[in-house]
Amino acid sequence: MRPDVVFPRRRIAVFVDGCFWHCCPIHGNEPRANTDYWGPKLARNVARDRAVDEALLADGWTVIRAWEHEEPASIADRVARALAEVADRQPHAR
Ligand SMILES: [Zn+2]
């Protein structure tokens, strides 16, 4: 559950979530086999993701969640925007 990329001074955590493991709305279809096993397991993953988000947000972090199916360029764009926003809020951290 560690972020994939961290900007410690800006307190930005970036997660690139796997479509299956994190139940992406496009590709995270219910598994057809062993649903008794996978259903609760995947639901726990998602619940843990949200708990991690909340803990980070409560601690003053900016959380970026990307899906593995997203274009790397669009993820990079979101990260760049978040960095710029945080820089505006925390000019001393430059
Ligand atoms: Zn996906």
Side-chain angles (χ1 to χ4, degrees):
M1 289 305 120
R2 300 172 66 84
D4 294 284
V5 183
V6 178
F7 298 89
R9 290 198 328 154
R10 300 278 194 235
R11 296 170 88 77
I12 294 177
V14 183
F15 296 84
V16 180
D17 293 338
C19 292
F20 176 75
W21 291 104
H22 299 268
C23 303
C24 139
I26 302 172
H27 309 103
N29 297 320
E30 285 285 301
R32 291 191 191 91
N34 287 323
T35 48
D36 287 352
Y37 173 74
W38 287 112
K41 191 174 175 62
L42 295 176
R44 273 200 304 276
N45 281 348
V46 173
R48 204 183 305 142
D49 289 344
R50 297 295 79 84
V52 167
D53 289 352
E54 275 171 33
L56 284 167
L57 291 170
D59 210 22
W61 285 72
T62 299
V63 178
I64 297 177
R65 288 266 175 193
W67 292 109
E68 68 178 351
H69 68 252
E70 284 184 50
E71 292 288 337
S74 97
I75 299 173
D77 205 54
R78 284 162 61 185
V79 172
R81 251 179 298 152
L83 282 167
E85 274 169 32
V86 171
D88 283 347
R89 282 206 308 271
Q90 319 172 331
H92 58 275
R94 267 177 210 283

